[in-house]
């Protein structure tokens, strides 16, 4: 049906409607819309039998389908399930109007009886006049029953293709501010159609609250304040999804009672504007040590060194934080860490890089990462990075297949991988992944990676929390039909590939993985080998009208007709919420996608990356989860997200500008310590949230904190191996430690592939894992370095041997006298003889090491005894000075431990405890235990 036939005049209808609602006890709110010329609510028009207001015939799309949704008929647990229920199926959440109408009025057992409406199964079953597994959904003498009866009585017409289209849903009030628990408001929802008609559809809407602890909403749209904080209530009708913010101040510090808070940047102004409404006061600034540690981990994935921390804490320049941000943006760690994050978001997984050829698996992963790192390091604009991924092909413009293979073979020579990032214009491996071959997989992954949109629900049915329909998904999917990854055996240039294979003289018996591995080895030795490539196929030849007519004639069954329609529609594609493109007229359909993403009207592209980067700094996104930019999941601070996205776009998608803008804000530099107003805040950025450190970063932080000075510098400069610089991620396994701490598996493009949750295994690793303990005690580590400065002989590796520990028992080796060491040497010689007699080569080698170490200790003690008498004369005079020197050395060691782990000086109480421990325990053991204890504190394990 088209627009409904009008009954009484607008004013009379409104007056009658008001009276009926009040008399029936239904929720009613007056004057909430500027324009009250909307058709009255359907529950009012059908509140009584034979009502004068019920002169209109209900419309299938506008009234019947939404009402079935309210009754739960097209829900997942009822007829909206994949197989339907009781031989009857509806589209899930009701948006396939044609199919739903056909299923109601047709089939072997029609649910609609126009001749006798009350005999319709569509009424008798939900009334439970007939057996109904779904139970009673309708009651007698209700407006819902009268609406359905009137629709059937009017002919049970379906949706008219020529009818007005849904334009939007207007919901009032647009914002709710609560002052007490139990305060209530009635929402009013008005549907606006393309013919200009408007109707109050509040009783046909679905409603939800995004946080029931702050506000609840019932089926009538009645909102009730439940507790302090902020959230949204959401109204759903047809294709409209409208969130309404509700704020319940957490304190009385609102309006004129709100204190003066510094807002030095636009970010701070927008954050504080929201906090002012909520009565949340930001925490104070973080300390210099907290800032340095926080920004170093966030920007470069790297723990500050001891020397860097000491210098920064001593610096009195008020601009030192700004200088440090600029300095960090130029370090290699910045490019490495953010290249890793971009590889997470775009799906660089070695297990999925299974293209056949020499550049498979780890090889492709390394090249992918090197390409991304080069882009981040040179600060390539984000839109250009994405363009070079989205429009990527394997060959350079004008490049022959032979030249392409020669160039690619050169990158596989060890040490030349980074040249791929410097020379390759685009990133073709994005399109060649094993889990990214079908058009459905590409549509889903593309929306996740570059739009921050989860559209998988629309793959089968109307999205329950967004505007997308299955038709939207199908039309979007068509953009990806002509991108192919072709193995070198399948290429148009297969003759050239065959000639290369013959020239390489490879055994014909090699197939599959064995052949690919051999090609990789040959390329690494400098040979030119054949490669597969990502290509864009030409458009299919235009089909004549005669050919299309014949195809239509042959399509008899519904399945054949559906396949035909899909084939014909595949020649056009539509961007999400945008316009249609004729694919046959395009050399590369992906160009339309890229142009759409760059347009100022695009609501996703800039917002998605801005929100992801923000979430990396604040633990939560402005939209959370960061990859769910749906209408029902609105931003916690929409003006803030709009500002950052607009400025990012206007500044040429400058990633360093975005990082600098966030890090320079006072909001980012707030302390993690809460006050009375913001202790419960986890979404409005009134304080820093102590958060888990990503897997690669915490693993590297342990390596850096336990390293000696030389190794520490090599790690920070990426001259030594780092987890943030490890290109290969394999969903089948990898580093145990990185898996324990939740490294992204990159199995999909979902941000949830990375886990930031704590676990018992993480605690066990930090406290007792052999890899962890080995890093603390390693020969060139910090513990070995600092104990040398205390004047104690460095413990040799042999002395830590389990066999030596059994000899010593609980006594430290350094406490033994010369005679005791000599006695142990004799016992050791006896053990050595036994090992020789038993042919125990391992025990023999270990015993010789132990004896050599004990012999050196004995010589040291004998030399010491020779000067003992001379030293005794001066001992009393030197005691006080020696005590001071020992205390100074221990204090310096303790300061070093704190600076390299938690980036601050120790408190005096912490120094006193450390002194007491060093007095009772040998210094090398005490230093090791101190470092172990600091690595197991929350202060080290969290970014705060």
């Amino acid at each position: 049906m088209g627009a409904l036939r009008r009954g009484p005049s607008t004013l009379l209808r409104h007056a009658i409607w008001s009276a009926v609602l009040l008399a029936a006890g239904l929720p009613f709110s007056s004057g909430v819309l500027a324009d009250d010329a909307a058709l009255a609510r359907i529950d009012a028009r059908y509140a009584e039998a034979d009502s004068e207001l019920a002169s209109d015939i209900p419309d299938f799309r506008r009234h019947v389908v939404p009402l079935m949704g309210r009754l739960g008929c097209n829900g997942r647990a009822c007829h909206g399930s994949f197989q339907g229920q009781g031989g009857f199926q509806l589209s899930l959440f009701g948006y396939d109007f044609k199919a739903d109408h056909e299923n109601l009025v047709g089939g072997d057992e029609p649910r609609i009886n126009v001749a006798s409406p009350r005999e319709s199964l569509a009424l008798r079953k939900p009334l439970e006049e007939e057996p109904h597994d779904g139970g009673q959904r309708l009651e007698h003498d209700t407006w819902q029953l009268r609406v359905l009866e009137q629709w059937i009585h009017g002919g049970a017409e379906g949706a008219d293709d020529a009818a007005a289209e849904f334009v939007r849903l207007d919901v009032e009030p647009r914002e709710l501010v609560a002052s007490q628990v139990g305060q209530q408001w009635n929402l009013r929802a008005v549907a606006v159609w393309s013919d200009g008609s408007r109707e109050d559809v509040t009783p046909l809407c679905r409603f939800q609250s995004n946080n029931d602890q702050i506000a609840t909403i019932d089926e009538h749209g009645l909102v009730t304040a439940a507790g302090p904080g902020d959230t949204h209530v959401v109204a759903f009708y047809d294709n409209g999804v409208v969130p309404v913010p509700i704020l319940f101040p957490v304190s009385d510090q609102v309006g004129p009672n709100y204190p003066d808070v510094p807002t030095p940047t636009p970010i701070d102004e927008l954050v504080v504007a929201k906090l002012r409404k909520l009565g949340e006061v930001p925490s104070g600034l973080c300390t210099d040590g907290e800032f340095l540690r926080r920004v170093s981990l966030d920007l470069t994935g790297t723990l500050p060194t001891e020397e860097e921390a000491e210098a920064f804490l001593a610096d009195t320049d008020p601009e030192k934080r700004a200088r440090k941000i600029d300095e960090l943006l130029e370090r290699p760690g910045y490019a490495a860490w953010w290249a890793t994050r971009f590889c997470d978001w775009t799906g660089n997984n070695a297990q999925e890089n299974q293209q056949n050829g020499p550049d498979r698996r780890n090889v492709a992963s390394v090249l992918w990462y090197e390409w991304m790192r080069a882009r981040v390091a040179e600060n390539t604009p984000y839109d250009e990075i994405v363009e070079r991924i989205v429009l990527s092909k394997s060959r350079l413009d004008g490049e022959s297949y032979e030249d392409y293979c020669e160039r690619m073979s050169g990158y596989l020579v060890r040490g030349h991988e980074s040249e791929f990032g410097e020379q390759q214009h685009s990133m073709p491996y994005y399109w060649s992944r094993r889990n990214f071959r079908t058009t459905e997989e590409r549509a889903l992954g593309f929306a996740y990676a570059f739009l921050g949109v989860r559209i998988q629900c629309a793959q089968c049915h109307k999205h329950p929390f967004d505007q997308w329909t299955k038709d939207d998904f199908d039309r979007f999917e068509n953009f990806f039909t002509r991108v192919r990854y072709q193995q070198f055996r399948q290429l148009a240039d297969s003759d050239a590939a065959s000639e290369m294979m013959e020239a390489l003289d490879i055994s014909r018996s090699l197939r599959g993985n064995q052949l690919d591995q051999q090609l990789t080895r040959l390329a690494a030795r400098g040979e030119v080998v054949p490669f597969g490539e990502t290509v864009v196929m030409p458009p299919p030849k235009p089909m004549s009208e005669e050919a299309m007519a014949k195809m239509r004639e042959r399509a008899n069954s519904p399945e054949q007709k559906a396949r035909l329609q899909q084939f014909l529609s595949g020649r056009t594609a539509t961007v999400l919420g945008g316009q249609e493109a004729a694919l046959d007229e395009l050399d590369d359909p992906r160009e339309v996608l890229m142009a759409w993403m760059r347009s100022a009207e695009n609501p996703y592209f800039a917002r998605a990356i801005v929100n992801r980067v923000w979430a990396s700094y604040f633990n939560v996104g402005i939209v959370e989860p960061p990859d769910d930019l749906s209408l029902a999941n609105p931003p916690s601070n929409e003006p803030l997200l709009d500002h950052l996205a607009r400025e990012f776009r206007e500044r040429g998608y400058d990633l360093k500008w975005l990082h600098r803008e966030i890090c320079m804000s006072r909001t980012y530099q707030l302390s993690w310590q809460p006050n009375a107003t913001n202790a419960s805040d986890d979404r409005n950025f009134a304080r820093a949230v102590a958060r888990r450190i990503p897997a690669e970063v915490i693993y590297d932080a342990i390596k850096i904190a336990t390293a000696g000075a030389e190794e520490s510098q090599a790690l920070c400069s990426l001259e030594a191996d780092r987890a943030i610089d490890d290109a290969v991620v394999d969903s089948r396994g990898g580093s145990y430690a990185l898996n324990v701490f939740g490294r992204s598996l990159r199995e999909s493009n979902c941000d949830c592939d990375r886990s930031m949750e704590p676990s018992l295994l993480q605690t066990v690793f930090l406290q007792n894992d052999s890899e962890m303990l080995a890093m603390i005690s390693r020969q060139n580590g910090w513990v070995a370095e600092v104990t040398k400065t205390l004047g104690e002989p460095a413990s040799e590796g042999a002395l830590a041997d389990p066999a030596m520990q059994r000899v010593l028992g609980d006594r430290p080796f350094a406490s033994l006298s010369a005679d005791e060491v000599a006695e142990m040497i004799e016992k050791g010689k006896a053990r050595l003889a036994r090992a020789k007699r038993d042919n125990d080569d391992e025990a023999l080698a270990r015993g010789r090491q132990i004896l050599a170490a004990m012999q050196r200790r004995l010589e040291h003690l004998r030399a010491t005894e020779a000067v003992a008498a001379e030293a005794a004369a001066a001992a009393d005079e030197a005691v006080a000075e020696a005590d001071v020197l020992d205390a100074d050395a221990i204090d310096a060691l303790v300061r070093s431990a704190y600076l390299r782990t938690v980036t601050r000086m120790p408190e005096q109480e912490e120094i006193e405890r450390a002194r007491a421990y060093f007095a009772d325990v040998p210094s090398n053991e005490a230093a090791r235990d101190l470092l172990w204890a600091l690595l197991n504190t929350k202060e080290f394990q969290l970014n705060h």
Side-chain angles (χ1 to χ4, degrees):
M1 297 290 292
L4 299 185
R5 296 188 298 273
R6 298 303 176 104
S9 69
T10 299
L11 292 177
L12 176 60
R13 183 172 65 246
H14 186 71
I16 297 174
W17 171 47
S18 304
V20 170
L21 283 174
L22 292 172
L26 294 171
F28 169 62
S29 178
S30 169
V32 291
L33 287 177
D35 178 8
D36 253 343
L39 182 64
R41 294 164 50 128
I42 198 167
D43 58 345
R45 304 202 307 271
Y46 287 87
E48 296 180 2
D50 302 322
S51 168
E52 180 187 358
L53 289 174
S55 60
D56 299 321
I57 297 175
D59 180 87
F60 184 69
R61 175 176 180 176
R62 298 189 185 194
H63 307 113
V64 176
V65 171
L67 178 56
M68 289 193 296
R70 277 288 298 267
L71 296 173
C73 304
N74 55 21
R76 189 176 282 109
C78 200
H79 300 290
S81 71
F82 180 69
Q83 295 179 323
Q85 292 286 347
F88 174 54
Q89 184 177 18
L90 294 169
S91 61
L92 185 59
F93 307 119
Y95 201 73
D96 192 339
F97 305 114
K98 184 176 181 181
D100 287 349
H101 185 261
E102 289 177 354
N103 289 338
L104 279 165
V105 302
D108 296 333
E109 190 180 17
R111 300 280 162 151
I112 301 298
N113 188 335
V114 177
S116 180
R118 282 295 282 108
E119 296 303 313
S120 298
L121 288 176
L123 301 182
R124 293 179 60 79
K125 280 183 171 285
L127 285 168
E128 280 205 309
E129 295 175 353
E130 294 274 348
H132 187 225
D133 290 342
Q136 185 170 358
R137 299 283 176 160
L138 271 176
E139 295 183 4
H140 291 278
D141 195 29
T142 58
W143 68 269
Q144 293 95 333
L145 178 59
R146 285 189 279 272
V147 167
L148 296 176
E149 280 187 303
Q150 181 78 336
W151 172 66
I152 299 171
H153 185 73
E157 298 287 342
D160 186 348
D161 291 339
E165 289 296 321
F166 176 80
V167 175
R168 69 178 185 274
L169 185 67
D170 292 336
V171 180
E172 293 282 353
R174 291 185 173 86
E175 182 179 83
L176 306 173
V177 180
S179 57
Q180 61 184 12
V181 173
Q183 189 173 353
Q184 294 184 325
W185 306 262
N186 286 304
L187 295 188
R188 185 186 182 206
V190 173
V192 180
W193 301 85
S194 60
D195 61 0
S197 62
R198 298 161 54 84
E199 179 178 0
D200 187 331
V201 292
T202 308
L204 297 171
C205 289
R206 291 186 296 116
F207 298 99
Q208 75 171 32
S209 170
N210 287 351
N211 189 334
D212 287 337
Q213 294 183 330
I214 294 168
T216 61
I217 187 167
D218 69 11
E219 63 179 3
H220 304 296
L222 179 64
V223 182
T224 304
D230 70 301
T231 188
H232 289 81
V233 290
V234 188
F236 303 85
Y237 172 81
D238 198 273
N239 211 25
V241 181
V242 179
V244 176
I246 175 167
L247 298 96
F248 193 149
V250 301
S251 75
D252 59 359
Q253 298 188 60
V254 294
N257 295 329
Y258 198 78
D260 289 333
V261 174
T263 54
T265 72
I267 287 177
D268 301 317
E269 292 173 2
L270 293 166
V271 168
V272 171
K274 172 80 179 288
L275 297 178
R276 186 176 286 111
K277 292 181 179 180
L278 282 168
E280 286 189 21
V281 180
S283 296
L285 284 176
C286 65
T287 66
D288 283 342
E290 288 170 338
F291 169 79
L292 176 62
R293 190 173 194 271
R294 182 188 302 174
V295 76
S296 298
L297 292 172
D298 283 341
L299 257 183
T300 68
T302 304
L303 192 69
T305 65
E306 174 187 339
E307 296 75 18
E308 182 181 10
E310 193 165 20
F312 189 80
L313 294 178
D315 191 347
T316 58
D317 184 352
E319 298 299 317
K320 67 180 182 180
R321 294 192 179 191
R323 286 202 332 269
K324 180 57 68 175
I325 291 169
D326 288 335
E327 176 189 329
L328 292 172
L329 285 169
E330 301 306 319
R331 289 188 182 177
Y334 163 73
W337 173 230
W338 285 96
T340 294
R341 297 312 313 276
F342 279 114
C343 285
D344 286 351
W345 298 327
T346 52
N348 179 10
N349 182 316
Q351 176 65 12
E352 301 301 340
N353 289 329
Q354 283 282 25
Q355 59 271 21
N356 291 334
D359 54 345
R360 61 192 295 274
R361 290 183 58 79
N362 293 7
V363 176
S365 287
V366 170
L367 296 180
W368 187 330
Y369 169 79
E370 291 295 345
W371 186 89
M372 198 67 79
R373 179 166 66 170
R375 303 290 78 75
V376 177
E378 66 192 19
N379 200 32
T380 303
Y382 175 70
D383 65 324
E384 185 178 329
I385 294 176
V386 175
E387 179 183 45
R388 290 161 71 171
I389 296 172
V390 172
L391 303 184
S392 62
K393 295 178 289 187
S394 293
R395 296 195 213 178
L396 304 178
D397 290 341
E399 189 174 39
S400 68
Y401 180 71
E402 291 82 358
D403 290 342
Y404 159 65
C405 291
E406 183 177 358
R407 177 172 57 85
M408 289 298 301
S409 297
Y411 300 140
L412 271 59
V413 177
R414 185 176 297 278
H416 290 259
E417 298 89 350
S418 62
E419 294 175 7
F420 180 83
E422 298 164 3
Q423 298 175 11
Q424 176 72 17
H425 180 268
S426 62
M427 173 36 59
Y429 295 118
Y430 176 78
W431 297 101
S432 64
R433 290 171 289 159
R434 188 176 59 177
N435 62 345
F436 207 64
R437 299 285 175 85
T438 69
T439 55
E440 293 90 345
E441 290 168 342
R442 288 173 172 175
L444 293 171
F446 188 95
Y448 264 127
F450 304 122
L451 305 175
V453 174
R454 300 178 177 184
I455 60 170
Q456 64 268 36
C457 290
Q459 193 174 359
C460 301
H461 53 77
K462 167 74 172 69
H463 199 297
F465 306 117
D466 214 332
Q467 60 185 304
W468 313 122
T469 66
K470 186 178 185 304
D471 185 59
D472 291 325
F473 182 91
D474 292 342
R475 291 180 177 275
F476 181 64
E477 173 191 348
N478 288 339
F479 279 111
F480 308 102
T481 55
R482 284 167 45 195
V483 187
R484 298 276 196 281
Y485 171 76
Q486 294 183 330
Q487 300 173 16
F488 67 83
R489 305 171 190 86
Q490 304 168 331
L491 292 170
D493 289 309
S494 57
D495 290 343
S498 298
E499 291 176 6
M500 288 183 195
M501 291 291 289
E502 290 177 8
L504 293 168
D505 194 24
I506 296 177
S507 171
R508 294 181 179 275
S509 64
L510 292 180
R511 293 287 187 274
N513 289 342
Q514 290 181 331
L515 175 59
D516 296 333
Q517 290 166 7
Q518 178 65 8
L519 290 174
T520 303
R521 287 191 287 268
L522 289 172
R525 295 206 297 262
E527 300 282 356
V528 176
V529 300
F531 285 77
E533 61 175 321
T534 297
V535 298
V536 179
M537 305 301 291
K541 294 180 180 179
M543 185 178 292
S544 67
E545 290 293 333
E546 182 181 355
M548 284 193 284
K550 288 182 179 179
M551 290 183 66
R552 290 191 179 96
E553 288 175 6
R554 293 170 185 163
N556 298 318
S557 68
E559 292 79 10
Q560 290 174 332
K561 291 178 180 179
R563 284 198 297 268
L564 175 61
Q565 181 60 36
Q566 185 177 13
F567 171 77
L568 295 175
S569 67
R571 305 180 83 94
T572 63
T574 306
V575 297
L576 294 177
Q579 296 184 349
E580 188 176 70
L583 300 183
D584 292 354
E585 301 173 5
L586 301 170
D587 292 332
D588 188 345
R590 301 173 300 173
E591 292 177 355
V592 175
L593 280 176
M594 197 62 232
W596 168 64
M597 289 196 293
R598 273 195 170 119
S599 67
E601 293 74 30
N602 187 290
Y604 307 108
F605 182 58
R607 288 161 67 99
I609 186 60
V610 162
N611 188 56
R612 273 193 168 112
V613 172
W614 180 278
S616 299
Y617 287 108
F618 288 92
N619 193 54
V620 295
I622 306 172
V623 174
E624 182 64 23
D627 58 356
D628 187 16
L629 273 64
S630 66
L631 293 175
N633 185 39
S636 60
N637 191 323
E638 187 146 11
L640 174 62
L641 184 57
D642 287 344
H643 162 76
L644 286 171
R646 182 180 61 254
E647 290 293 311
F648 181 58
R649 188 168 50 244
E650 291 178 357
R651 294 173 186 271
Y653 297 92
D654 185 339
L655 285 166
K656 284 189 177 180
W657 171 85
L658 178 60
H659 290 294
R660 187 182 294 109
E661 190 75 1
I662 292 173
C663 293
M664 282 295 296
S665 69
R666 190 176 191 274
T667 301
Y668 175 72
Q669 299 182 25
L670 292 176
S671 170
W672 61 272
Q673 297 185 2
N675 58 44
T677 68
N678 67 25
S680 299
D681 178 45
D682 59 2
R683 60 186 250 121
N684 289 303
F685 321 113
R687 59 181 173 88
V689 175
R691 50 201 159 90
R692 283 283 320 286
I693 299 174
E696 300 91 333
V697 181
I698 187 69
Y699 184 77
D700 282 348
I702 296 169
K703 289 177 69 174
I704 294 169
T706 56
E710 185 176 340
E711 185 187 4
S712 177
Q713 290 297 329
L715 287 166
C716 291
S717 62
L718 269 66
E719 294 172 9
D721 289 341
R722 291 280 303 278
I724 65 166
D725 194 36
D726 183 2
V728 179
V729 172
D730 192 328
S731 55
R732 296 185 309 174
S735 164
Y736 170 74
L738 294 178
N739 290 340
V740 162
F741 283 99
R743 183 187 198 179
S744 176
L745 298 178
R746 301 177 185 168
E747 292 177 321
S748 68
N749 293 109
C750 178
D751 288 13
C752 57
D753 279 345
R754 177 178 291 276
S755 172
M756 297 296 285
E757 297 301 316
S759 72
L760 180 60
L761 283 177
Q762 294 165 10
T763 301
V764 172
F765 177 87
L766 289 167
Q767 291 188 0
N768 202 38
D769 190 88
S770 59
E771 184 179 7
M772 174 76 177
L773 299 178
M775 281 195 279
I776 295 174
S777 300
R778 65 185 184 271
Q779 206 166 25
N780 60 343
W782 175 80
V783 172
E785 275 190 1
V786 296
T787 51
K788 292 177 184 177
T789 65
L790 296 179
E792 179 179 310
S795 58
E796 301 186 38
L799 301 182
D801 186 273
M804 186 65 185
Q805 294 301 319
R806 287 194 294 272
V807 173
L808 295 174
D810 295 330
R811 296 193 64 187
F813 185 72
S815 68
L816 300 180
S817 67
D819 290 340
E820 288 172 318
V821 173
E823 182 181 351
M824 290 183 65
I825 289 175
E826 293 304 316
K827 292 179 180 178
K829 288 178 179 178
R831 290 189 177 88
L832 201 63
R834 283 198 300 272
K836 189 174 183 179
R837 187 173 60 250
D838 296 339
N839 293 319
D840 189 341
D841 293 339
E842 184 178 348
L844 194 62
R846 191 167 60 245
R848 285 172 177 160
Q849 289 179 340
I850 293 172
L851 280 176
M854 289 194 293
Q855 187 63 45
R856 287 194 294 273
R857 179 62 177 166
L858 180 60
E859 291 170 0
H860 172 77
L861 290 173
R862 295 288 191 218
T864 302
E865 288 174 353
V867 296
E870 201 176 315
D876 291 340
E877 299 177 12
V879 165
E881 182 180 357
D883 285 345
V884 172
L885 289 173
D886 287 345
D888 288 343
I890 291 171
D891 290 356
L893 183 150
V894 174
R895 283 196 300 273
S896 172
Y898 275 78
L899 286 169
R900 67 178 34 245
T901 54
V902 293
T903 321
R904 66 172 175 85
M905 293 293 188
E907 302 290 340
Q908 187 59 38
E909 182 183 355
E910 293 167 327
I911 293 175
E912 295 294 340
R913 285 203 303 267
R915 286 176 180 169
Y917 190 70
F918 272 82
D920 295 335
V921 178
S923 59
N924 65 321
E925 292 184 26
R928 182 193 63 204
D929 293 348
L930 173 63
L931 186 57
W932 178 91
L934 285 167
L935 294 175
N936 276 279
T937 61
K938 289 184 179 179
E939 191 175 1
F940 174 80
Q941 297 166 23
L942 300 179
N943 193 350
H944 49 82

